[in-house]
Amino acid sequence: YASYSTGFKSGGFQGQAPTGAAARTPFKPEKATSFEIGVKSFLFDRRLSVNLALHDTDYEDLQVRQNAARPGETIPILRITNAGKAKARGVELELNARPVEALDLWVNYGYLDSEYKQLIDTTGVNRAGNPLQFAPENTLNVGGRLLLPVAENWNLSTRLDYRWQDEFYFDPAANAVNFEPSYG
């Protein structure tokens, strides 16, 4: 399959503006153009499914949350600003297997390469090349479920899941203070 789509998120005004002028200064709508190609398949009498997707998204005026004080301000305030351009591309792989009727196993992996192409932050620093906020590079989910008949109309179900993700940043500065380490 292949898909191409465009979309937008409307602009707005600051919810926590420190001055009247800041309250009257809008942030722009965000626009995105996305392309995805992939394969979805069922194999071995539907006992194995393999799904693979490659995706690419280009943003114009991406809305960026920044908790920062501008020069001359003493209190940092959450602001929404616009990055000139940003890009996110990646791959996702899903494997689902049912080796026997009562057992389901799965592995899902995602890789994401994201960066701001144009972004001057609220302090005037160029953040182009930094990764997008809240965007871990790698994610992994593995698990299994066992469903055993116990009595008529009664089943015992057990499930085990594990999820892991890479570190990511909460701000466009890729600042170690606003950092979520990898975890599982």
Side-chain angles (χ1 to χ4, degrees), residues 143-173:
R145 180 185 72 127
L146 182 63
L147 185 65
L148 299 173
V150 178
E152 188 176 336
N153 297 325
W154 289 87
N155 292 316
L156 173 65
S157 177
T158 59
R159 181 178 170 131
L160 180 64
D161 285 288
Y162 178 74
R163 183 181 186 288
W164 176 87
Q165 73 175 35
D166 254 339
E167 68 275 355
F168 65 86
Y169 296 94
F170 292 106
D171 67 14

Side-chain angles (χ1 to χ4, degrees), residues 64-83:
V64 179
R65 294 175 45 180
Q66 298 181 67
N67 192 19
R70 288 187 173 148
E73 297 175 355
T74 56
I75 300 173
I77 292 178
L78 178 64
R79 288 187 171 80
I80 298 174
T81 61
N82 293 99

Side-chain angles (χ1 to χ4, degrees), residues 60-117:
E60 267 190 59
D61 295 320
L62 176 68
Q63 293 172 9
V64 179
R65 294 175 45 180
Q66 298 181 67
N67 192 19
R70 288 187 173 148
E73 297 175 355
T74 56
I75 300 173
I77 292 178
L78 178 64
R79 288 187 171 80
I80 298 174
T81 61
N82 293 99
K85 293 183 187 280
K87 185 168 195 62
R89 69 187 100 184
V91 62
E92 296 174 11
L93 174 65
E94 298 176 4
L95 300 172
N96 296 287
R98 180 173 278 176
V100 294
E101 194 60 35
L103 180 63
D104 292 313
L105 302 170
W106 56 85
V107 175
N108 301 319
Y109 170 74
Y111 170 77
L112 182 65
D113 177 24
S114 68
E115 71 175 305
Y116 296 103
K117 295 294 191 178

